[in-house]
């Protein structure tokens, strides 16, 4: 038995008993080994102790024979018990063979390995901490063991190890984090439960600051939060909740920036619990870290904006997302418009900026989804000092505007998201107008398209934004920097472009614009906006019919009504589509006569006391000539009754159509409205208003015997006999004539202009009729 002699100081009897299949015999052998090792300890014979451990390890625990391996395990445990407090000197030799047996195919042997390691750890206590990583690694594998006995044994060992870590202050957290970061991505439920239990234990130890290493494991925690097991999800919720409490207590020591993109990704998760939890974290981060979060704004908006349109099934997520959105918006301040972007020393971080790492406009085409932008961001190392609010952070608008543009262009995005996007753009134009006007040319087409939105609230916000762009002083600096050079403007049906002939204004029109009292408050984009709005109405007639009046009335509230009517009239004067020009003039006239928003403008035109009001009248008149009836109504509004009568006399030369008579009918209805109360009262002064009565009789003669005819006829029957209305004071001059004389308006030239415009309309109608007739003939053939 040469093998037996090589195994000394173990006796042959001990060797045989260790390899026996019966547990009782192996236990007896273990007691002999324990006795032997105790003797060596008493003699301080370390070489013999090492030799015994080596024999048990190499010849037994690592043997090919299963019973030998079982004997080796119980023998190593016996050695540890015998060594007592001195076992720490031999832990590496004791632990390694036992851990090797954790991988054994025999479940009974894995259980004995668990039992052996439990005894070794129980004796060594704190001395095992230097070997914690290998113990944790082995235990994480046993946590997912299919055998319930092995799993039960590993749980006992796990609890023992947790007790040791909790009571010790020598735990090497730095050395443990890489292993934890690796194992946290396990998909096995039991392994995940094991990981979370350890995180909870480490969190509870005062001397262990796991918060410093949260960026390393946060992503893995959110992955575990999506586990199918309710128990694991609950444990993970508790762990994340504890971390968040700690963050609120010590925000100055939190690495917010390193975790920002992790939250951005999980705020877009399909799982409701993950998304809600991540959104709650994002809310706290924005409120605690403040402007430190600004460089990540584009990613945060990508995650938050879609949530604002969630229905009641995701009400909680929607509410938290709304708080995130509002809090982030408040972080943008006017100073962001003044920061010198050419000074990298003032920025945090240097290159690449977190904004660029999150969404790079130069590397992402319009067709790519925002999710791809976020994935790109995770590949960038993001280390960002964020200890205090005073650190100056540069707001990079490119990424933010790109995200806002993307969400506004996406027709599938909900109404509340579109409103939030418009609020964001409005806020940026208020706080950072100088920087925002660099993006105006690219934003303008989509803002114009948004006017066709189904929601009135969206259109209102869009108009507020367009009005701010058109009136902001910052827009003055962009004069001459239009999109007509075509460098940065996306192709679209509507472009921000001033026609070359727009500058060829008539003398009266130019004078009118110059004299407008509020022109200085309008910038170069105002006139461009008016041009493109009319283009929009021209190309989309349904928009004009359903929302045209609403849009113009709101603009009159947001901007100066005189400027709006002046500029639109000037643009329509050169409109080649005469039918559209007539329709548009009719719409503007209806708004002018009926809208409460234009009360002041009507009063200004009614009196024509100032040069500005007279110039406005002339400008409107020239465009109003596209529609004969609206021209007469404008003369009624401005009390130019003689000219109204002259115009009605010309109606005999016009082509009287059903549409024409319908408009006369509507004018008669308007005369009966409160707006023309002053006109009806002037019928009492027959002597001084003969042309008013003549004009009304002219309209009566134009009308067929309809309800409108009866209405106007009854009104004229109420005009008193001039003889009965005479007073003793016959020398009092007519205020109406005095005003007309003072106006210095060339009515003859205006009448000639009316005839010229109407001749153009007649030619256009005949051309359209001729084309329609040719088309009918082709169809017949």
């Amino acid at each position: 038995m040469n093998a037996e002699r090589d195994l000394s100081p173990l006796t042959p009897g001990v060797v045989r008993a260790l390899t026996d299949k019966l547990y009782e015999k192996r236990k007896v052998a273990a007691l002999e080994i324990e006795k032997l090792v105790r003797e060596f300890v008493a003699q301080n014979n370390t070489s013999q102790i090492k030799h015994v451990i080596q024999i048990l390890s190499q010849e037994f625990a690592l043997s090919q024979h299963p019973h030998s391996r079982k004997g080796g395990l119980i023998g190593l445990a016996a050695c540890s018990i015998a060594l007592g407090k001195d076992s720490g000197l031999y832990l590496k030799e004791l632990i390694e063979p036992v851990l090797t047996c954790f991988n054994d195919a025999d479940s009974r042997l894995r259980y004995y390995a668990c039992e052996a390691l439990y005894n070794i750890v129980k004796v060594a206590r704190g001395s095992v901490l230097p070997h914690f990583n290998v113990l944790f690694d082995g235990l994480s594998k046993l946590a997912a063991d299919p055998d319930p006995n092995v799993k039960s044994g590993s749980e006992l060992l796990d609890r023992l190890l947790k007790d040791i870590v909790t009571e010790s202050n020598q735990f090497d957290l730095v050395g443990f984090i890489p292993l934890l970061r690796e194992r946290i991505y396990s998909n096995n439920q039991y392994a995940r439960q094991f990981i979370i239990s350890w995180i909870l234990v480490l969190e509870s130890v005062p001397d262990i600051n796991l918060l410093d290493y949260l960026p390393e494991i946060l992503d893995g925690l959110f992955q575990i939060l999506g586990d199918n097991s309710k128990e694991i999800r609950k444990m993970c919720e508790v762990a994340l909740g504890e971390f968040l409490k700690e963050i609120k207590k010590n925000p100055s020591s939190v690495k917010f920036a390193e975790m920002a993109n992790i939250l951005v990704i999980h705020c877009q998760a399909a799982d409701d619990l993950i998304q809600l939890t991540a959104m709650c974290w994002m809310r706290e981060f924005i409120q605690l870290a403040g402007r430190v979060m600004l460089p990540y704004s584009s990613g945060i908006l990508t995650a938050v904006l879609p949530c604002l349109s969630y229905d009641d099934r995701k009400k909680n997520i929607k509410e938290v997302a709304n708080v995130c959105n509002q809090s982030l918006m408040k972080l943008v301040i006017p100073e962001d418009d003044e920061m010198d972007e050419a000074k990298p020393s003032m920025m945090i971080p240097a290159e690449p900026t977190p904004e660029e790492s999150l969404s790079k406009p130069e590397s992402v085409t319009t067709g790519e989804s925002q999710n791809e932008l976020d994935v790109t961001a995770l590949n960038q190392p993001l280390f960002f000092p964020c200890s205090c609010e005073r650190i100056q952070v540069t707001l990079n608008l490119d990424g933010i505007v790109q995200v806002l543009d993307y969400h506004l262009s996406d027709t599938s995005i909900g109404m509340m998201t579109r409103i939030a996007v418009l609020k964001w753009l409005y806020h940026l134009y208020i706080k950072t107008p100088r920087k925002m006007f660099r993006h105006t040319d690219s934003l303008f087409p989509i803002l114009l398209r948004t006017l066709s939105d189904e929601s009135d609230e969206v259109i209102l916000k869009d108009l507020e934004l367009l009005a701010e762009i058109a009136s902001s002083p910052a827009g003055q600096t962009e004069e001459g920097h239009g999109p007509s050079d075509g460098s940065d403007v996306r192709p679209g049906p509507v472009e921000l472009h001033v026609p070359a002939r727009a500058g060829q204004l008539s003398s009266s029109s130019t004078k009118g614009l110059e004299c407008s009292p509020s022109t200085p408050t309008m910038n170069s984009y105002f006139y461009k906006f008016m041009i493109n709005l009319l283009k929009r109405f021209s190309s989309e007639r349904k928009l004009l019919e359903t929302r045209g009046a609403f849009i113009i009335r709101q603009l009159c509230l947001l901007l100066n009504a005189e400027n709006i009517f002046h500029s639109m009239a000037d643009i329509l004067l050169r409109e080649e589509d005469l039918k559209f020009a007539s329709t548009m003039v009719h719409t503007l006239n209806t708004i002018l006569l009926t809208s409460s928003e234009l009360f002041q403008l009507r009063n200004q035109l009614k009196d024509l006391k100032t040069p500005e009001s007279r110039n406005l009248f002339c400008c409107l008149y020239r465009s109003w000539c596209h529609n004969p009836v609206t021209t007469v109504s404008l003369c009624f509004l401005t009390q130019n009754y003689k000219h109204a009568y002259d115009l009605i006399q010309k109606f005999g030369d016009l082509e009287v159509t059903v549409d024409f008579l319908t408009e006369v009918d509507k004018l008669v209805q308007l005369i009966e409205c409160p707006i023309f109360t002053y006109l009806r009262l002037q019928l009492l002064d027959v002597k001084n208003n003969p042309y008013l009565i003549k004009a009304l009789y002219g309209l009566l003669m134009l009308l067929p015997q309809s309800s409108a005819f009866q209405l106007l006829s009854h009104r004229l029957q109420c005009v008193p006999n001039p003889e009965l209305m005479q007073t003793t004071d016959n020398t009092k001059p007519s205020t109406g004539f005095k005003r007309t004389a003072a106006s210095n308006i060339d009515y003859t030239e205006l009448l000639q202009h009316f005839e010229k415009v109407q001749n153009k309309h007649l030619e256009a109608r005949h051309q359209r009729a001729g084309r329609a007739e040719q088309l009918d003939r082709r169809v017949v053939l």
Side-chain angles (χ1 to χ4, degrees):
M1 302 289 297
N2 292 330
E4 292 180 359
R5 282 198 304 272
D6 293 337
L7 299 180
S8 57
L10 300 184
T11 64
V14 170
V15 171
R16 281 195 301 272
L18 277 178
T19 57
D20 199 281
K21 63 181 180 179
L22 295 176
Y23 173 76
E24 289 75 11
K25 291 188 178 182
R26 295 198 300 272
K27 188 174 182 180
V28 171
L31 291 172
E32 290 295 323
I33 293 171
E34 181 183 342
K35 183 180 177 182
L36 180 65
V37 172
R38 284 187 190 276
E39 291 176 1
F40 291 147
V41 170
Q43 299 166 7
N44 199 21
N45 192 343
T46 56
S47 60
Q48 283 291 66
I49 294 171
K50 286 182 179 179
H51 186 51
V52 169
I53 293 172
Q54 185 180 10
I55 291 171
L56 291 170
S57 172
Q58 299 297 326
E59 303 297 332
F60 290 89
L62 301 177
S63 169
Q64 297 296 320
H65 195 277
H67 297 312
S68 295
R69 293 200 294 276
K70 293 173 185 176
L73 290 170
I74 198 170
L76 288 170
C79 286
S80 178
I81 293 169
L83 287 167
K85 61 180 182 180
D86 293 333
S87 62
L89 302 172
Y90 309 94
L91 274 177
K92 187 174 186 297
E93 293 81 2
L94 290 168
I95 289 173
E96 285 183 355
V98 178
L99 288 174
T100 303
C101 293
F102 276 10
N103 300 317
D104 200 284
D106 186 352
S107 62
R108 290 296 297 169
L109 207 139
R110 294 198 301 276
Y111 175 78
Y112 287 133
C114 243
E115 188 179 52
L117 190 56
Y118 180 88
N119 288 316
I120 293 169
V121 171
K122 188 177 181 180
V123 172
R125 300 298 291 182
S127 301
V128 301
L129 289 179
H131 307 278
F132 178 81
N133 278 13
V134 291
L135 294 173
F136 182 88
D137 184 47
L139 274 175
S140 66
K141 294 172 183 175
L142 289 189
D145 198 283
D147 188 274
N149 292 323
V150 176
K151 195 180 297 181
S152 176
S154 69
E155 288 171 1
L156 285 172
L157 177 57
D158 180 49
R159 282 198 292 271
L160 174 62
L161 201 55
K162 284 172 181 170
D163 290 340
I164 293 170
V165 169
T166 304
E167 67 190 22
S168 172
N169 58 0
Q170 297 178 347
F171 181 73
D172 182 12
L173 185 61
V174 176
F176 173 60
I177 286 297
L179 179 61
L180 180 61
R181 184 178 58 218
E182 176 193 340
R183 291 304 160 89
I184 204 168
Y185 287 105
S186 172
N187 290 322
N188 183 278
Q189 285 189 353
Y190 297 106
R192 284 180 163 184
Q193 195 169 13
F194 173 77
I195 293 288
I196 292 294
S197 69
W198 267 102
I199 290 174
L200 286 168
V201 167
L202 294 176
E203 265 189 297
S204 67
V205 179
D207 294 333
I208 297 176
N209 189 9
L210 195 56
L211 191 62
D212 285 347
Y213 302 93
L214 184 56
E216 306 281 332
I217 60 172
L218 185 62
D219 180 58
L221 283 171
F222 275 105
Q223 299 275 5
I224 295 175
L225 191 60
D227 196 273
N228 294 326
S229 166
K230 288 184 179 180
E231 185 182 354
I232 293 173
R233 288 164 77 100
K234 188 63 183 174
M235 286 177 66
C236 194
E237 265 193 281
V238 171
L240 286 167
E242 290 299 320
F243 275 123
L244 196 55
K245 285 180 185 176
E246 197 66 28
I247 288 170
K248 291 178 183 179
K249 287 180 184 176
N250 305 294
S252 59
S253 62
V254 178
K255 300 173 182 177
F256 289 106
E258 293 181 32
M259 294 182 276
N261 283 336
I262 297 171
L263 294 182
V264 165
I265 295 300
H266 293 291
C267 280
Q268 301 171 76
D271 185 282
D272 288 355
L273 179 59
I274 295 176
Q275 190 177 27
L276 177 60
T277 307
M279 199 68 73
C280 289
W281 275 61
M282 184 66 79
R283 176 190 63 198
E284 299 300 331
F285 271 38
I286 295 171
Q287 293 175 353
L288 293 170
R291 287 177 56 81
V292 166
M293 298 297 288
L294 267 185
Y296 306 92
S297 297
S298 62
I300 296 170
L301 287 174
T302 300
V304 166
L305 288 173
C307 301
L308 301 178
S309 293
Y310 283 174
D311 56 26
D312 288 342
R313 288 174 295 179
K314 295 186 176 183
K315 185 180 179 182
N316 292 341
I317 298 173
K318 179 180 178 179
E319 289 175 352
V320 179
N322 188 51
V323 175
C324 288
N325 183 55
Q326 297 297 327
S327 301
L328 188 64
M329 194 181 292
K330 290 176 183 176
L331 297 180
V332 181
I333 55 176
E335 285 74 11
D336 289 316
D337 205 33
E338 302 166 4
M339 290 179 184
D340 188 359
E341 295 172 352
K343 295 180 180 178
S345 61
M346 300 293 284
M347 302 181 191
I348 300 173
E351 292 183 349
T353 64
E355 190 68 43
E356 292 166 342
S357 67
L358 194 57
S359 55
K360 295 185 178 180
E362 62 271 15
S363 63
V364 181
T365 62
T366 307
E368 290 181 59
S369 69
Q370 283 311 124
N371 288 339
E372 292 174 0
L373 301 181
D374 298 327
V375 172
T376 305
L378 288 184
N379 296 329
Q380 302 290 336
L382 295 168
F383 297 102
F384 192 88
C386 52
S387 58
C388 70
E389 286 265 350
R390 295 183 181 177
I391 296 177
Q392 188 169 342
V393 179
T394 299
L395 179 71
N396 182 358
L397 282 178
D398 291 345
I400 296 175
V401 172
Q402 183 194 14
V403 171
L404 295 174
D405 192 338
Y406 169 82
H407 283 87
L408 197 58
S409 304
D410 188 352
T411 54
S412 65
I413 293 294
M415 179 189 74
M416 297 309 296
T417 297
R418 295 197 299 277
I419 290 172
V421 168
L422 292 168
K423 284 182 177 178
W424 255 102
L425 289 170
Y426 182 81
H427 183 73
L428 291 173
Y429 270 105
I430 294 292
K431 297 296 183 181
T432 60
R434 184 178 61 83
K435 290 182 179 178
M436 277 304 295
F437 265 94
R438 300 171 190 173
H439 301 277
T440 301
D441 292 338
S442 61
L443 287 171
F444 222 85
I446 181 61
L447 294 178
L448 286 167
R449 286 198 295 275
T450 305
L451 291 174
S452 303
D453 198 275
E454 296 176 355
S455 165
D456 285 352
E457 197 172 348
V458 171
I459 294 175
L460 278 173
K461 292 299 176 187
D462 193 31
L463 289 172
E464 285 180 19
L465 174 56
L466 286 165
E468 177 60 30
I469 292 172
S471 61
S472 173
Q476 295 286 9
T477 60
E478 301 296 319
E479 190 72 57
H481 179 65
S484 52
D485 53 4
S487 57
D488 296 319
V489 184
R490 296 178 303 175
V494 182
E495 293 180 359
L496 188 63
H497 176 65
V498 182
R501 58 180 180 170
Q504 302 168 2
L505 308 182
S506 64
S507 59
S508 62
S509 300
T510 307
K511 187 178 179 183
L513 281 174
E514 289 172 350
C515 293
S516 177
S518 56
T519 299
T521 65
M522 300 296 122
N523 59 34
S524 59
Y525 281 97
F526 173 78
Y527 200 73
K528 297 172 185 178
F529 174 31
M530 294 297 108
I531 290 172
N532 284 281
L533 179 60
L534 290 174
K535 279 185 180 182
R536 191 79 188 164
F537 286 148
S538 178
S539 62
E540 197 174 336
R541 296 298 171 87
K542 187 178 178 182
L543 175 65
L544 177 58
E545 293 170 10
T546 58
R547 299 287 180 78
F550 172 71
I551 289 171
I552 294 169
R553 286 173 61 184
Q554 291 302 319
L555 283 175
C556 288
L557 287 173
L558 295 165
L559 297 168
N560 181 273
E562 181 185 342
N563 279 353
I564 291 169
F565 272 78
H566 209 312
S567 58
M568 283 192 170
D570 182 67
I571 296 162
L572 288 169
L573 191 61
R574 281 166 295 281
E575 177 59 51
E576 294 178 356
D577 185 346
L578 298 181
K579 190 174 182 181
F580 166 70
S582 177
T583 305
M584 193 67 221
V585 163
H586 176 73
T587 302
L588 288 171
N589 187 65
T590 304
I591 296 168
L592 177 62
L593 294 179
T594 61
S595 297
S596 59
E597 295 88 349
L598 296 174
F599 175 77
Q600 290 184 345
L601 187 61
R602 282 197 297 272
N603 281 346
Q604 187 180 340
L605 285 168
K606 186 169 71 173
D607 296 331
L608 294 181
K609 291 179 179 178
T610 63
E612 290 84 7
S613 62
R614 292 193 287 271
N615 281 321
L616 176 61
F617 166 73
C618 290
C619 180
L620 294 179
Y621 180 95
R622 292 176 183 280
S623 287
W624 263 228
C625 286
H626 282 297
N627 191 305
V629 180
T630 59
T631 313
V632 171
S633 67
L634 180 65
C635 290
F636 282 162
L637 175 66
T638 56
Q639 304 181 65
N640 284 302
Y641 302 132
K642 182 180 185 305
H643 192 68
Y645 172 70
D646 293 339
L647 285 172
I648 292 171
Q649 289 289 89
K650 296 290 182 182
F651 283 6
D653 301 328
L654 302 180
E655 184 178 13
V656 178
T657 63
V658 175
D659 290 341
F660 175 86
L661 291 174
T662 303
E663 290 194 26
V664 176
D665 190 301
K666 290 179 179 178
L667 177 56
V668 171
Q669 304 289 338
L670 270 174
I671 289 171
E672 294 298 318
C673 290
I675 293 165
F676 281 115
T677 299
Y678 67 91
L679 181 146
R680 297 195 300 274
L681 288 172
Q682 286 172 350
L683 290 174
L684 295 173
D685 189 1
V686 179
K687 185 177 180 181
N688 289 324
N689 295 292
Y691 286 107
L692 170 58
I693 298 172
K694 283 186 177 185
L696 292 177
Y697 269 109
L699 290 179
L700 189 67
M701 295 304 111
L702 286 170
L703 285 167
Q705 302 264 337
S706 60
S707 60
F709 177 89
Q710 298 295 331
L711 188 66
L712 185 54
S713 177
H714 289 157
R715 174 63 65 184
L716 289 171
Q717 286 173 16
C718 297
V719 175
N721 187 325
E723 297 296 328
L724 297 176
M725 300 299 292
Q726 282 188 357
T727 61
T728 56
D729 186 8
N730 292 327
T731 60
K732 185 177 180 180
S734 167
T735 56
F737 288 131
K738 183 182 285 187
R739 179 186 58 75
T740 305
S743 64
N744 297 323
I745 295 173
D746 188 350
Y747 288 101
T748 304
E749 190 270 334
L750 291 179
L751 198 60
Q752 290 171 354
H753 177 76
F754 174 81
E755 291 176 343
K756 182 180 176 183
V757 172
Q758 285 305 308
N759 285 334
K760 286 183 180 179
H761 276 271
L762 185 62
E763 281 180 34
R765 278 198 296 272
H766 288 167
Q767 288 174 2
R768 286 197 299 270
R771 285 196 295 270
E773 190 177 339
Q774 288 177 2
L775 187 62
D776 290 341
R777 286 176 183 171
R778 289 177 186 172
V779 171
V780 172
L781 293 174

